Amino acid sequence: MMSKDEKAEQIIIIGGGAAGMMAAIAAAGKGRRVLLFEQNEKLGKKLYITGKGRCNLTNDSDVSQHLSAVVSNPRFLYSAQTQFDAQATKDFFQQLGLPLKTERGNRVFPVSDHSSDVIKALEYECKRLGVEIRLNTKVKELLLKTEDTQQDSEEQKDKAVNAVAGVLLADGKKEMGQAVIMATGGVSYPSTGADGSGLSMARRAGHHVTDLYPALVPLCTKEKWTAQLAGLSLRNISISIKNGNKKLYEEFGEMLFTHRGVSGPVILSASSYISHYLTEAASLRLEIDLKPALDEQKLDQRLIRELEQAGIKHIRNVCATLLPHSLIPVVLDQAGIPKDRRSCDIGKKERMALLHTLKSLTMTITGTEGFDAAIITRGGIDTREIHPGTMESRRIRGLYFAGECIDVDALTGGFNLQIAWATGYKAGLSAG
């Protein structure tokens, strides 16, 4: 049985997700006793559903590319990403006996295509290193103490500071520790247990939590015709999102229509940049260039040629060479052209209206599908209150942060999990 002093020396980790398990492994690897609390019935509940259940665990690119994919506070992550980069992540999992493969966009997956294999590898390593895991255990509060510390400056010398002493569990029991690592996640996918309680805990302890927004989330539109197109995917299109005359985001790629609006890669990425504007403005404008490879002059020449060749055929037949079948009525309606208009009767005014609609199919964004559908949370513990070189709190000695609870988020493609691995490793190593 452990003595009271031995318990006081242990490292406590709150949260058994990607960052929490990595932090536990890093700290235990330094020979420290580690106690991990997870409020769910199993570890890695959110990790299980990432990458549509396949677990896109990193992106096989260099640090600069990873940081360029970070939306919020990329500079804060430089130290962590440099110490534990994508190659380190690949080496780590392969050394645990997990074969990996790299797919389109440098996305790295387990060869098995099963996220459960990633979780099993992490859980096995935790147990091998002696990490004590307590499931179905919720942490209610951080326990703090005041201690004297020597500072470099005269004005801070011998100043009393807050330090972590342990945690208070929901059942009223206390667990003491030398360090606490918070890896409690954000508020996205609440079905996985992400309830924001960790952020509230940090706030009560004196930390500032920035505003929270759903990120990598489908967008809702005012137009109801998107429901008629639900499931239709558009490739090689270009989008731009504007607030009045101000362009907030533009991208080329693939998107998808849903019953409530739009989704798909370019839309999910856009949401990370524009979701906070939706609380300030009544709506934003989404413009889709359905033919980005053709400028207006070349597209007009093509329309003239095809209209002439079509003769008395209906305009919808001409559009069949340009658009998916289900999208034709929407485009013609937006252009103000009856679908049974004969091609030979299309004048310059209607032709230009069709051209402008093809180059700028417009919708009104009214909101997002919320945290229930968001892959990641934008916002969290203010990075200005965390040492980037150690992940330790600048306010509370011995308190560390890792993963989604920090105000950092990135685009899809394995970048967010890489943040979890890198910050978890840095926090665990520093605490250990």
Side-chain angles (χ1 to χ4, degrees):
M1 189 172 178
M2 286 179 57
S3 68
K4 186 176 179 181
D5 289 341
E6 286 175 319
K7 278 199 168 189
E9 293 293 312
Q10 70 186 346
I11 295 173
I12 296 171
I13 297 176
I14 313 173
M21 286 189 281
M22 178 59 81
I25 291 168
K30 300 296 288 183
R32 300 300 300 275
R33 170 180 161 77
V34 177
L35 176 58
L36 187 153
F37 292 109
E38 169 53 52
Q39 65 180 357
N40 288 315
E41 74 284 359
K42 59 184 177 181
L43 297 175
K45 201 165 183 179
K46 184 177 179 182
L47 190 60
Y48 185 79
I49 62 175
T50 59
K52 297 180 180 178
R54 299 175 60 217
C55 194
N56 178 194
L57 52 85
T58 191
N59 190 283
D60 193 11
S61 52
D62 60 27
V63 171
S64 64
Q65 289 173 297
H66 274 262
L67 295 180
S68 68
V70 176
V71 177
S72 305
N73 304 307
R75 291 179 61 185
F76 170 80
L77 291 167
Y78 181 80
S79 177
Q81 293 275 32
T82 301
Q83 184 171 9
F84 200 85
D85 61 8
Q87 186 58 53
T89 297
K90 290 172 60 181
D91 291 344
F92 171 80
F93 281 104
Q94 287 172 331
Q95 287 166 9
L96 294 184
L98 185 70
L100 305 176
K101 61 180 178 179
T102 303
E103 298 185 358
R104 181 173 60 92
N106 294 324
R107 289 168 165 82
V108 179
F109 295 89
V111 169
S112 67
D113 282 332
H114 293 146
S115 56
S116 57
D117 290 338
V118 177
I119 299 168
K120 288 174 185 175
L122 291 165
E123 189 170 6
Y124 176 84
E125 185 66 359
C126 281
K127 291 178 178 178
R128 186 186 74 83
L129 292 170
V131 176
E132 182 182 348
I133 298 170
R134 295 190 193 175
L135 302 175
N136 297 303
T137 307
K138 189 175 181 64
V139 175
K140 183 179 180 180
E141 213 69 69
L142 292 171
L143 297 177
L144 305 180
K145 61 183 178 181
T146 302
E147 61 179 26
D148 293 330
T149 181
Q150 293 285 327
Q151 300 289 336
D152 293 335
S153 64
E154 286 297 321
E155 59 188 37
Q156 291 183 323
K157 198 171 184 180
D158 297 325
K159 183 179 179 181
V161 299
N162 281 333
V164 75
V167 296
L168 173 66
L169 304 181
D171 63 6
K173 294 180 181 179
K174 294 180 180 179
E175 197 69 55
M176 311 310 289
Q178 185 182 50
V180 173
I181 300 174
M182 291 190 66
T184 52
V187 292
S188 59
Y189 286 152
S191 60
T192 62
D195 56 7
S197 60
L199 296 174
S200 298
M201 197 187 311
R203 190 184 286 113
R204 289 192 296 272
H207 267 282
H208 175 239
V209 177
T210 62
D211 292 338
L212 307 178
Y213 303 94
L216 300 180
V217 62
L219 300 175
C220 300
T221 60
K222 179 181 178 181
E223 292 74 19
K224 302 304 180 186
W225 49 258
T226 58
Q228 304 168 24
L229 303 175
L232 174 64
S233 178
L234 300 179
R235 296 182 179 181
N236 301 319
I237 52 88
S238 179
I239 69 162
S240 63
I241 297 179
K242 299 177 181 178
N243 183 8
N245 293 323
K246 181 182 179 181
K247 185 180 291 185
L248 304 178
Y249 185 80
E250 61 181 342
E251 185 59 272
F252 173 86
E254 183 177 346
M255 64 166 286
L256 174 74
F257 290 101
T258 71
H259 285 92
R260 299 179 62 185
V262 287
S263 186
V266 296
I267 299 297
L268 294 179
S269 294
S271 72
S272 291
Y273 290 93
I274 63 98
S275 61
H276 60 293
Y277 283 96
L278 292 168
T279 62
E280 302 168 6
S283 59
L284 302 176
R285 191 170 72 256
L286 167 64
E287 297 177 359
I288 306 171
D289 185 347
L290 297 166
K291 296 295 173 185
L294 299 174
D295 60 27
E296 290 196 0
Q297 183 179 3
K298 290 181 180 178
L299 181 56
D300 191 32
Q301 290 171 351
R302 178 174 174 179
L303 288 175
I304 292 172
R305 184 172 63 253
E306 296 204 12
L307 287 169
E308 288 177 349
Q309 292 174 351
I312 63 172
K313 292 182 180 179
H314 291 151
I315 182 62
R316 63 175 179 266
N317 294 322
V318 174
C319 289
T321 66
L322 297 165
L323 300 166
H325 178 74
S326 59
L327 189 56
I328 293 172
V330 171
V331 169
L332 290 177
D333 183 63
Q334 292 274 306
I337 304 172
K339 62 182 179 181
D340 57 355
R341 175 87 77 197
R342 295 190 307 175
S343 298
C344 59
D345 294 331
I346 298 291
K348 181 178 180 180
K349 184 178 180 180
E350 287 182 319
R351 189 183 80 243
M352 295 308 294
L354 176 58
L355 183 151
H356 291 147
T357 303
L358 290 170
K359 294 296 289 181
S360 184
L361 180 63
T362 303
M363 284 172 277
T364 304
I365 301 171
T366 57
T368 75
E369 290 194 14
F371 287 110
D372 285 352
I375 295 174
I376 201 78
T377 302
R378 178 175 181 173
I381 307 298
D382 195 329
T383 56
R384 293 171 297 183
E385 299 178 357
I386 305 172
H387 287 283
T390 61
M391 295 296 136
E392 186 178 15
S393 166
R394 294 182 186 271
R395 291 180 176 270
I396 302 169
R397 184 184 297 276
L399 177 63
Y400 298 80
F401 299 100
E404 195 179 345
C405 66
I406 304 172
D407 183 12
V408 286
D409 61 279
L411 303 178
T412 57
F415 300 108
N416 284 293
L417 268 181
Q418 180 58 37
I419 291 174
W421 309 132
T423 57
Y425 180 81
K426 174 73 81 171
L429 206 64
S430 301

PDB file of all heavy atoms in Angstrom, residues 142-158:
ATOM      1  N   LEU A 142     -10.428  21.032  -8.983  1.00  0.00           N
ATOM      2  CA  LEU A 142      -8.994  21.024  -8.732  1.00  0.00           C
ATOM      3  C   LEU A 142      -8.753  21.455  -7.291  1.00  0.00           C
ATOM      4  O   LEU A 142      -9.400  22.379  -6.791  1.00  0.00           O
ATOM      5  CB  LEU A 142      -8.287  22.012  -9.673  1.00  0.00           C
ATOM      6  CG  LEU A 142      -8.279  21.670 -11.151  1.00  0.00           C
ATOM      7  CD1 LEU A 142      -7.738  22.854 -11.956  1.00  0.00           C
ATOM      8  CD2 LEU A 142      -7.428  20.432 -11.423  1.00  0.00           C
ATOM      9  N   LEU A 143      -7.846  20.796  -6.629  1.00  0.00           N
ATOM     10  CA  LEU A 143      -7.454  21.187  -5.277  1.00  0.00           C
ATOM     11  C   LEU A 143      -6.176  22.015  -5.371  1.00  0.00           C
ATOM     12  O   LEU A 143      -5.190  21.579  -5.970  1.00  0.00           O
ATOM     13  CB  LEU A 143      -7.220  19.953  -4.406  1.00  0.00           C
ATOM     14  CG  LEU A 143      -8.444  19.045  -4.168  1.00  0.00           C
ATOM     15  CD1 LEU A 143      -8.038  17.823  -3.357  1.00  0.00           C
ATOM     16  CD2 LEU A 143      -9.566  19.812  -3.473  1.00  0.00           C
ATOM     17  N   LEU A 144      -6.219  23.206  -4.813  1.00  0.00           N
ATOM     18  CA  LEU A 144      -5.078  24.118  -4.895  1.00  0.00           C
ATOM     19  C   LEU A 144      -4.487  24.372  -3.516  1.00  0.00           C
ATOM     20  O   LEU A 144      -5.145  24.187  -2.488  1.00  0.00           O
ATOM     21  CB  LEU A 144      -5.512  25.440  -5.526  1.00  0.00           C
ATOM     22  CG  LEU A 144      -6.188  25.365  -6.897  1.00  0.00           C
ATOM     23  CD1 LEU A 144      -6.551  26.770  -7.370  1.00  0.00           C
ATOM     24  CD2 LEU A 144      -5.297  24.666  -7.908  1.00  0.00           C
ATOM     25  N   LYS A 145      -3.249  24.794  -3.510  1.00  0.00           N
ATOM     26  CA  LYS A 145      -2.578  25.190  -2.265  1.00  0.00           C
ATOM     27  C   LYS A 145      -1.756  26.433  -2.564  1.00  0.00           C
ATOM     28  O   LYS A 145      -1.509  26.772  -3.728  1.00  0.00           O
ATOM     29  CB  LYS A 145      -1.673  24.063  -1.760  1.00  0.00           C
ATOM     30  CG  LYS A 145      -0.553  23.682  -2.732  1.00  0.00           C
ATOM     31  CD  LYS A 145       0.253  22.501  -2.203  1.00  0.00           C
ATOM     32  CE  LYS A 145       1.325  22.111  -3.225  1.00  0.00           C
ATOM     33  NZ  LYS A 145       2.122  20.938  -2.767  1.00  0.00           N
ATOM     34  N   THR A 146      -1.350  27.116  -1.543  1.00  0.00           N
ATOM     35  CA  THR A 146      -0.509  28.307  -1.702  1.00  0.00           C
ATOM     36  C   THR A 146       0.888  27.974  -1.219  1.00  0.00           C
ATOM     37  O   THR A 146       1.060  27.392  -0.148  1.00  0.00           O
ATOM     38  CB  THR A 146      -1.075  29.485  -0.895  1.00  0.00           C
ATOM     39  OG1 THR A 146      -2.412  29.746  -1.323  1.00  0.00           O
ATOM     40  CG2 THR A 146      -0.232  30.728  -1.108  1.00  0.00           C
ATOM     41  N   GLU A 147       1.870  28.324  -2.030  1.00  0.00           N
ATOM     42  CA  GLU A 147       3.251  28.053  -1.619  1.00  0.00           C
ATOM     43  C   GLU A 147       4.122  29.240  -1.966  1.00  0.00           C
ATOM     44  O   GLU A 147       3.799  30.053  -2.836  1.00  0.00           O
ATOM     45  CB  GLU A 147       3.782  26.790  -2.308  1.00  0.00           C
ATOM     46  CG  GLU A 147       3.823  26.869  -3.822  1.00  0.00           C
ATOM     47  CD  GLU A 147       4.367  25.605  -4.460  1.00  0.00           C
ATOM     48  OE1 GLU A 147       4.260  24.524  -3.849  1.00  0.00           O
ATOM     49  OE2 GLU A 147       4.905  25.708  -5.578  1.00  0.00           O
ATOM     50  N   ASP A 148       5.246  29.364  -1.276  1.00  0.00           N
ATOM     51  CA  ASP A 148       6.198  30.439  -1.547  1.00  0.00           C
ATOM     52  C   ASP A 148       7.168  29.970  -2.610  1.00  0.00           C
ATOM     53  O   ASP A 148       7.562  28.808  -2.665  1.00  0.00           O
ATOM     54  CB  ASP A 148       6.966  30.816  -0.279  1.00  0.00           C
ATOM     55  CG  ASP A 148       6.064  31.444   0.768  1.00  0.00           C
ATOM     56  OD1 ASP A 148       5.079  32.096   0.357  1.00  0.00           O
ATOM     57  OD2 ASP A 148       6.335  31.266   1.965  1.00  0.00           O
ATOM     58  N   THR A 149       7.577  30.908  -3.451  1.00  0.00           N
ATOM     59  CA  THR A 149       8.505  30.544  -4.517  1.00  0.00           C
ATOM     60  C   THR A 149       9.502  31.664  -4.735  1.00  0.00           C
ATOM     61  O   THR A 149       9.204  32.840  -4.527  1.00  0.00           O
ATOM     62  CB  THR A 149       7.753  30.261  -5.827  1.00  0.00           C
ATOM     63  OG1 THR A 149       8.706  29.884  -6.839  1.00  0.00           O
ATOM     64  CG2 THR A 149       6.993  31.477  -6.329  1.00  0.00           C
ATOM     65  N   GLN A 150      10.687  31.309  -5.143  1.00  0.00           N
ATOM     66  CA  GLN A 150      11.719  32.283  -5.467  1.00  0.00           C
ATOM     67  C   GLN A 150      11.564  32.704  -6.926  1.00  0.00           C
ATOM     68  O   GLN A 150      11.532  31.865  -7.818  1.00  0.00           O
ATOM     69  CB  GLN A 150      13.109  31.680  -5.247  1.00  0.00           C
ATOM     70  CG  GLN A 150      13.432  31.382  -3.782  1.00  0.00           C
ATOM     71  CD  GLN A 150      13.734  32.644  -3.003  1.00  0.00           C
ATOM     72  OE1 GLN A 150      14.277  33.599  -3.535  1.00  0.00           O
ATOM     73  NE2 GLN A 150      13.377  32.646  -1.727  1.00  0.00           N
ATOM     74  N   GLN A 151      11.455  33.980  -7.192  1.00  0.00           N
ATOM     75  CA  GLN A 151      11.358  34.504  -8.549  1.00  0.00           C
ATOM     76  C   GLN A 151      12.608  35.304  -8.868  1.00  0.00           C
ATOM     77  O   GLN A 151      13.327  35.775  -7.980  1.00  0.00           O
ATOM     78  CB  GLN A 151      10.102  35.385  -8.703  1.00  0.00           C
ATOM     79  CG  GLN A 151       8.798  34.660  -8.433  1.00  0.00           C
ATOM     80  CD  GLN A 151       8.467  33.659  -9.529  1.00  0.00           C
ATOM     81  OE1 GLN A 151       8.925  33.794 -10.658  1.00  0.00           O
ATOM     82  NE2 GLN A 151       7.689  32.644  -9.185  1.00  0.00           N
ATOM     83  N   ASP A 152      12.848  35.518 -10.149  1.00  0.00           N
ATOM     84  CA  ASP A 152      14.054  36.242 -10.566  1.00  0.00           C
ATOM     85  C   ASP A 152      13.988  37.727 -10.207  1.00  0.00           C
ATOM     86  O   ASP A 152      14.953  38.310  -9.731  1.00  0.00           O
ATOM     87  CB  ASP A 152      14.260  36.098 -12.072  1.00  0.00           C
ATOM     88  CG  ASP A 152      14.601  34.659 -12.451  1.00  0.00           C
ATOM     89  OD1 ASP A 152      15.128  33.949 -11.575  1.00  0.00           O
ATOM     90  OD2 ASP A 152      14.355  34.276 -13.600  1.00  0.00           O
ATOM     91  N   SER A 153      12.851  38.347 -10.438  1.00  0.00           N
ATOM     92  CA  SER A 153      12.750  39.790 -10.203  1.00  0.00           C
ATOM     93  C   SER A 153      12.551  40.080  -8.715  1.00  0.00           C
ATOM     94  O   SER A 153      11.938  39.301  -7.995  1.00  0.00           O
ATOM     95  CB  SER A 153      11.594  40.386 -11.012  1.00  0.00           C
ATOM     96  OG  SER A 153      10.364  39.862 -10.579  1.00  0.00           O
ATOM     97  N   GLU A 154      13.050  41.233  -8.276  1.00  0.00           N
ATOM     98  CA  GLU A 154      12.957  41.612  -6.871  1.00  0.00           C
ATOM     99  C   GLU A 154      11.508  41.765  -6.422  1.00  0.00           C
ATOM    100  O   GLU A 154      11.135  41.381  -5.326  1.00  0.00           O
ATOM    101  CB  GLU A 154      13.718  42.924  -6.635  1.00  0.00           C
ATOM    102  CG  GLU A 154      15.232  42.771  -6.646  1.00  0.00           C
ATOM    103  CD  GLU A 154      15.726  41.865  -5.524  1.00  0.00           C
ATOM    104  OE1 GLU A 154      15.181  41.947  -4.406  1.00  0.00           O
ATOM    105  OE2 GLU A 154      16.646  41.076  -5.775  1.00  0.00           O
ATOM    106  N   GLU A 155      10.670  42.340  -7.312  1.00  0.00           N
ATOM    107  CA  GLU A 155       9.286  42.604  -6.925  1.00  0.00           C
ATOM    108  C   GLU A 155       8.464  41.320  -6.765  1.00  0.00           C
ATOM    109  O   GLU A 155       7.439  41.295  -6.101  1.00  0.00           O
ATOM    110  CB  GLU A 155       8.612  43.517  -7.955  1.00  0.00           C
ATOM    111  CG  GLU A 155       8.605  42.940  -9.364  1.00  0.00           C
ATOM    112  CD  GLU A 155       8.103  43.945 -10.375  1.00  0.00           C
ATOM    113  OE1 GLU A 155       8.404  45.142 -10.240  1.00  0.00           O
ATOM    114  OE2 GLU A 155       7.397  43.515 -11.307  1.00  0.00           O
ATOM    115  N   GLN A 156       8.933  40.192  -7.405  1.00  0.00           N
ATOM    116  CA  GLN A 156       8.216  38.934  -7.294  1.00  0.00           C
ATOM    117  C   GLN A 156       8.889  37.963  -6.317  1.00  0.00           C
ATOM    118  O   GLN A 156       8.384  36.881  -6.080  1.00  0.00           O
ATOM    119  CB  GLN A 156       8.115  38.258  -8.667  1.00  0.00           C
ATOM    120  CG  GLN A 156       7.203  38.986  -9.639  1.00  0.00           C
ATOM    121  CD  GLN A 156       7.088  38.246 -10.949  1.00  0.00           C
ATOM    122  OE1 GLN A 156       8.060  37.674 -11.429  1.00  0.00           O
ATOM    123  NE2 GLN A 156       5.902  38.235 -11.534  1.00  0.00           N
ATOM    124  N   LYS A 157       9.983  38.367  -5.754  1.00  0.00           N
ATOM    125  CA  LYS A 157      10.739  37.481  -4.884  1.00  0.00           C
ATOM    126  C   LYS A 157       9.921  37.080  -3.657  1.00  0.00           C
ATOM    127  O   LYS A 157       9.259  37.914  -3.035  1.00  0.00           O
ATOM    128  CB  LYS A 157      12.023  38.180  -4.459  1.00  0.00           C
ATOM    129  CG  LYS A 157      13.072  37.224  -3.927  1.00  0.00           C
ATOM    130  CD  LYS A 157      14.393  37.952  -3.733  1.00  0.00           C
ATOM    131  CE  LYS A 157      15.468  36.987  -3.286  1.00  0.00           C
ATOM    132  NZ  LYS A 157      16.756  37.678  -3.103  1.00  0.00           N
ATOM    133  N   ASP A 158       9.973  35.792  -3.340  1.00  0.00           N
ATOM    134  CA  ASP A 158       9.261  35.237  -2.189  1.00  0.00           C
ATOM    135  C   ASP A 158       7.749  35.463  -2.252  1.00  0.00           C
ATOM    136  O   ASP A 158       7.071  35.523  -1.229  1.00  0.00           O
ATOM    137  CB  ASP A 158       9.799  35.843  -0.874  1.00  0.00           C
ATOM    138  CG  ASP A 158      11.266  35.484  -0.677  1.00  0.00           C
ATOM    139  OD1 ASP A 158      11.651  34.366  -1.060  1.00  0.00           O
ATOM    140  OD2 ASP A 158      12.004  36.325  -0.162  1.00  0.00           O
TER     141      ASP A 158
END
